[in-house]
Amino acid sequence: MSTTPATGRVQLALNVSDLEASVAFYSAMFGVEPHKRRPGYANFAVAEPPLKLVLIETNEGTRGSGTVGALNHLGVEVPSTDDVAEARDRFSDAGLASFDENDTTCCYALQDKVWISDPHDLRWEVYTVKDEDPVNPRDAADRPVTLVAECCSEEAGSTQRADAEACCS
């Protein structure tokens, strides 16, 4: 059963250097436990306000303190692949360059998504989760889950494609 609201919700993906402390903080802040926990990764399906909060563990040097290094990417989780296609068409009609990922397995889920960047290169994804527990799961840096490594860190290369850099829904 999907936890995505029928109208979708905004996703906020944050880099954190202490996943356990961050999970405790956001559990208290929003009054909910994580929807999904994996090594170096947690996400919350917050009903009110409608929010998908994703925590991606990075090293302290990459994360920094305060707001510096905190934002990994933003997104909009939608209920279906049709909604992803509608977003893709809307971006195309507006003349925005986009990058498609269909049937991609990352962040421990099978997803369809489309990526765009704002005028300041802030990455956004519109995505739907097709399977919460796929046969061949991959972590947030698009690696098989048998590998334990930092996900979505600057060491991965900020010039890499969005699918390798920030697929953390």
Side-chain angles (χ1 to χ4, degrees), residues 3 19-20 22-28 30-38 41-46 52-55 132:
T3 61
L19 185 63
E20 295 308 314
S22 297
V23 165
F25 174 83
Y26 287 108
S27 293
F30 290 110
V32 297
E33 293 300 313
H35 169 71
K36 183 185 285 188
R37 292 282 312 258
R38 301 293 187 270
Y41 177 85
N43 78 44
F44 293 80
V46 181
K52 179 69 152 287
L53 177 66
V54 176
L55 304 178
E132 284 278 1

Side-chain angles (χ1 to χ4, degrees), residues 105-126:
T105 304
C106 72
C107 301
Y108 309 94
L110 178 66
Q111 307 167 0
D112 278 358
K113 58 178 80 182
V114 59
W115 289 90
I116 59 171
S117 293
D118 80 357
H120 303 287
D121 205 30
L122 176 60
R123 296 183 190 271
W124 280 84
E125 66 176 327
V126 175

Side-chain angles (χ1 to χ4, degrees), residues 133-153:
D133 192 20
V135 174
N136 297 308
R138 299 180 75 80
D139 72 7
D142 199 26
R143 294 176 289 232
V145 297
T146 54
L147 301 177
V148 177
E150 294 172 10
C151 69
C152 298
S153 69

